[in-house]
Amino acid sequence: MLESETIRPDHATAALEAVSLPLADRDWWRGAVIYQVYPRSFQDSNGDGIGDLAGIAARLPHIAGLGVDAVWISPFMTSPMDDFGYDVSDYRDVDPIFGTLHDFDALVARAHELGLKVMIDLVLSHSSDRHPWFAESRRDRTNSRADWYVWADAKADGSPPNNWLSNFGGSSWEWDAGRQQYYLHNFLISQPDLNFNHPAVQDAMLDVTRFWLDRGVDGFRLDTVNFYVHDAELRDNPPLAEAHWNERTAPRDRPYNRQDHLYDKNRPENLAFLRRFRALLDAYPAATAIGEVGELIRGIELMGEYTRGTDRLHMCYAFDFLNTVLPEVDDIRPVIERFSQAAADGWPCWAFSNHDVVRHATRWAAGHEDREAILRLAAAILLSVRGSVCLYQGEEIGQTEAEIAYEDIVDPWGKRFWPTIKGRDGCRTPMVWESDAPQGGFTTAAHPWLPVPPEHLPMAVDRQVGQAGSLLEYYRAFLAFRRSHPALVRGDIAFLDWAPGLLAFRREFEGERIVCVFNLSGQPVDIAWPSDLERVSALGPEAGGPAKLAAGRLALGRHDSFFAQLN
Ligand code: BGC
């Protein structure tokens, strides 16, 4: 058994496994691994310096070859691009920068041929201010879409209706001179918030969802899902109680983090819409949704609430691991345990990196003497805990956060708050494919929309693919290992008190049990690995090996008597 389960870097085998995925399985999302593509930065096919749908389609074999289940494509719908697509001006078309609906259909067809599901980003909470709905809504107080956005009168002194703040700084209310009212925007001024308390808005958004389902998409990532509904009475948010202050995850130098967001988001009324949304998805074979829950205080509990039972969302995506530096056991274990308590039957989706946060290759491993070991450890943890997983493009090759010169910054958040907040450009630089090609093979343009940092070139896919010991091959190996062990995909999780500094848990599914031990202590730890504990893989130099587990290493094993002993 040892021999047969030892992982070998064999690209062709992983690609074949991906093709044989059972597409008809309605439950495919449970434990799925989803690869996030940020379309502007994945592959440019027409030399304009910006990635596009045809480029993504051409690179799908890379994604399928990793052995993931699905691809999530960040927004590509028509948009003035103030927030790079998270400001939609037409929900039923592709922005010309990215291609056409025909390109999208071709991408979906190619993905399905390769055994990949396609999930797209639905940005329903707000639109662009250049969406025709908003143009009509702001015209006067009586037009047919007058209440499609959140409008409110000024207070007697002319100030905004309440104390709500925008995620991107300042009040979340903007004065409209035409209507002589304020409108709500939780993000940029040009991202007015749709009024989900209005049934016609809900209906319109369900129609948009149906449009994409009918085009063959397999699911959605729901942007800012906990922001859909606002408090109809527009009550002030209270200040955040001191017990919840957390300088690391929610620094108070951002005024947004000083409020308890009871009223501008997180409303219980949202559940009624989520049920309608789920009923629509259930009418399609195997359609699924992940809700992005941006909330640091009660986000985990909200995720539980949104995913429990069978009439709400399938999965929710948490922010809890998106800010941590090299974590300690207490940064991980309590989060996962809290989720299990919030909803034992709910389902989380975890990520360490995405297009909004500093890449974990930098957060976890910058300056670390054995950087690659830390990145392998990160991959192994992410792919072993209970839940589905989102991998962010480039993490499989170890792309780091890029330092962007002030004059190259394009993210409006970074432009406004630089240098205290440098914005999100550093995690959005292009994917690097070929180390010796100009711009890493991302584009033929001399100036891509964000620079390709020279230090990324040696990490390019062509340098790692098929190379034993490379990070890319480690991801492929671990993904193949995960797929062949249902306990890691769908199993329950129980944490084990092993030794200080060790993150240890057991995954169990239909009689298969796997124990996973990760050394986060920074020191070698004697793990007293029992002699009768079977080794199940060769994924880490120390796996199943000596009694001492080196710092930053993992061990996986299984044996019934061992579990009995620990219990
Ligand atoms: C997206 C961001 C975006 C924001 C507003 C988020 O959570 O991931 O990129 O700026 O929603 O749509």
Side-chain angles (χ1 to χ4, degrees), residues 181-462:
Q181 279 186 310
Y182 283 98
Y183 67 84
L184 180 69
H185 61 90
N186 285 302
F187 295 88
L188 297 175
I189 288 169
S190 60
Q191 291 170 302
D193 210 71
L194 279 142
N195 178 12
F196 272 74
N197 290 323
H198 195 317
V201 170
Q202 295 194 7
D203 293 346
M205 289 317 193
L206 293 175
D207 283 349
V208 164
T209 308
R210 200 174 289 112
F211 173 84
W212 291 101
L213 286 166
D214 289 343
R215 287 206 102 82
V217 309
D218 304 291
F220 304 97
R221 178 261 193 187
L222 299 177
D223 188 63
T224 58
V225 72
N226 55 323
F227 286 72
Y228 288 173
V229 177
H230 66 284
D231 177 42
E233 293 173 41
L234 304 183
R235 282 171 281 188
D236 276 346
N237 284 326
L240 186 64
E242 203 171 333
H244 291 308
W245 293 4
N246 185 332
E247 277 315 308
R248 196 164 46 76
T249 58
R252 287 171 51 77
D253 61 0
R254 277 191 72 198
Y256 190 86
N257 293 336
R258 297 190 193 182
Q259 291 192 353
D260 194 348
H261 293 273
L262 290 180
Y263 298 115
D264 53 346
K265 60 181 183 180
N266 306 333
R267 299 301 306 154
E269 302 90 291
N270 201 14
L271 281 177
F273 176 71
L274 298 184
R275 287 202 181 91
R276 293 189 69 196
F277 189 86
R278 176 61 180 261
L280 171 60
L281 262 53
D282 282 349
Y284 290 78
T288 192
I290 304 179
E292 181 209 25
V293 177
E295 160 61 35
L296 286 160
I297 307 306
R298 59 182 65 79
I300 292 290
E301 286 66 32
L302 216 52
M303 284 168 60
E305 213 173 289
Y306 284 4
T307 61
R308 77 165 59 107
T310 54
D311 65 344
R312 308 172 184 200
L313 297 180
H314 302 78
M315 300 170 266
C316 273
Y317 179 99
F319 278 44
D320 294 70
F321 303 139
L322 295 175
N323 295 305
T324 42
V325 290
L326 183 60
E328 295 175 7
V329 175
D330 278 350
D331 294 316
I332 296 178
R333 175 174 173 168
V335 173
I336 292 170
E337 286 183 325
R338 258 172 68 203
F339 183 83
S340 303
Q341 277 155 19
D345 62 340
W347 198 258
C349 180
W350 307 111
F352 288 165
S353 286
N354 70 22
H355 64 295
D356 289 331
V357 298
V358 173
R359 283 181 177 272
H360 76 269
T362 295
R363 275 187 285 121
W364 285 43
H368 200 280
E369 61 191 25
D370 195 351
R371 175 181 176 275
E372 288 256 329
I374 296 294
L375 298 187
R376 284 196 296 270
L377 183 76
I381 294 174
L382 185 59
L383 292 167
S384 299
V385 292
R386 176 177 178 269
S388 300
V389 171
C390 285
L391 302 178
Y392 179 47
Q393 66 178 51
E395 86 172 64
E396 75 278 26
I397 53 173
Q399 264 183 246
T400 46
E401 185 77 3
E403 271 296 324
I404 306 289
Y406 177 72
E407 53 280 13
D408 291 331
I409 286 181
V410 291
D411 180 18
W413 192 36
K415 278 185 172 168
R416 179 164 178 187
F417 291 109
W418 196 91
T420 351
I421 295 174
K422 291 184 175 165
R424 300 163 294 177
D425 298 321
C427 63
R428 297 175 175 179
T429 58
M431 180 78 183
V432 283
W433 300 100
E434 296 158 50
S435 57
D436 295 330
Q439 314 299 352
F442 162 69
T443 180
T444 53
H447 299 289
W449 78 287
L450 279 174
V452 175
E455 68 274 17
H456 284 183
L457 294 175
M459 303 170 188
V461 172
D462 70 341

Side-chain angles (χ1 to χ4, degrees), residues 75 77-80 85-93 121 123 126-131 191:
M77 294 167 199
T78 316
S79 163
Y86 284 94
D87 48 325
V88 177
S89 56
D90 183 350
Y91 285 100
R92 293 163 194 259
D93 209 347
D121 225 309
V123 190
H126 45 265
S127 72
S128 159
D129 62 353
R130 274 144 284 174
H131 195 294
Q191 291 170 302

